[in-house]
Amino acid sequence: MRGALLIAAAVLLGAGLLANGFRDDHSILSDSGSTTAPKKSTTTAPTASTAVQAHDPAQVKVLVLNGSGKAGVAKAGADVLKAANYTTLEPSNAKGGTVATSVVYFVPGYDADAATVTAKLGLPASAAQPLPTPPPAAVADPKDAYIVVLVGSDAPIAGGAGASTTSSTSPTTAATATTAPAN
């Protein structure tokens, strides 16, 4: 199941990057005019690299906050990300109590990384959202994190709805997800 999630995340990232690359091509043509057509090919490669915006996980600081109301969920989430080589800050509890829906907030330039983190935690792609200014009350202080994961009661690692989908697909994965919060 983990391999399938990684493949799905890679396909989604690739499709998004490809779409961004095409959008960037059009803006270069309209800005440069037809006289710089040879430069368009040269410019496209760096633009595509810029559009990627995926960073080495070791350079991405992630803060995991538990808003599920269940003990150990933030640590379990941080452990999943740490195993994927992300730099995790000290996991903590969300401010203000239980949160029903998980959100993966990201600062500008880290949207591709947020999509990967979202997939690794078994959350829907729609969970990735830009971090608003000021941060939501549940987050309070994002510290110096590039990505803040607010784990709600819907998260698979919290035993939420996503966990039942995982268990019907792969009982072994569900057992692993259930065991992780106990650690």
Side-chain angles (χ1 to χ4, degrees), residues 114-141:
T116 303
V117 166
T118 300
K120 288 194 177 301
L121 295 175
L123 299 170
S126 60
Q129 300 175 14
L131 181 65
T133 303
V139 173
D141 178 15

Side-chain angles (χ1 to χ4, degrees), residues 2-177:
R2 220 179 236 178
L5 283 174
L6 288 174
I7 291 171
V11 168
L12 289 173
L13 271 172
L17 296 174
L18 186 60
N20 282 338
F22 285 124
R23 271 188 260 145
D24 288 339
D25 258 358
H26 295 293
S27 65
I28 290 169
L29 284 174
S30 63
D31 290 344
S32 302
S34 62
T35 59
T36 57
K39 287 186 178 181
K40 180 186 85 70
S41 297
T42 307
T43 307
T44 302
T47 302
S49 297
T50 304
V52 170
Q53 297 179 354
H55 300 88
D56 175 3
Q59 297 174 347
V60 180
K61 294 179 186 176
V62 183
L63 173 63
V64 182
L65 301 173
N66 183 1
S68 72
K70 295 183 179 179
V73 172
K75 183 181 178 328
D79 288 347
V80 167
L81 298 174
K82 197 177 292 185
N85 204 31
Y86 285 91
T87 301
T88 57
L89 303 176
E90 187 64 33
S92 184
N93 289 320
K95 307 296 181 211
T98 305
V99 176
T101 306
S102 300
V103 183
V104 178
Y105 292 112
F106 59 88
V107 298
Y110 287 83
D111 48 338
D113 303 292
T116 303
V117 166
T118 300
K120 288 194 177 301
L121 295 175
L123 299 170
S126 60
Q129 300 175 14
L131 181 65
T133 303
V139 173
D141 178 15
K143 301 180 183 175
D144 61 348
Y146 301 122
I147 297 175
V148 178
V149 179
L150 180 58
V151 181
S153 55
D154 67 330
I157 59 174
S164 63
T165 304
T166 304
S167 65
S168 67
T169 306
S170 174
T172 307
T173 305
T176 303

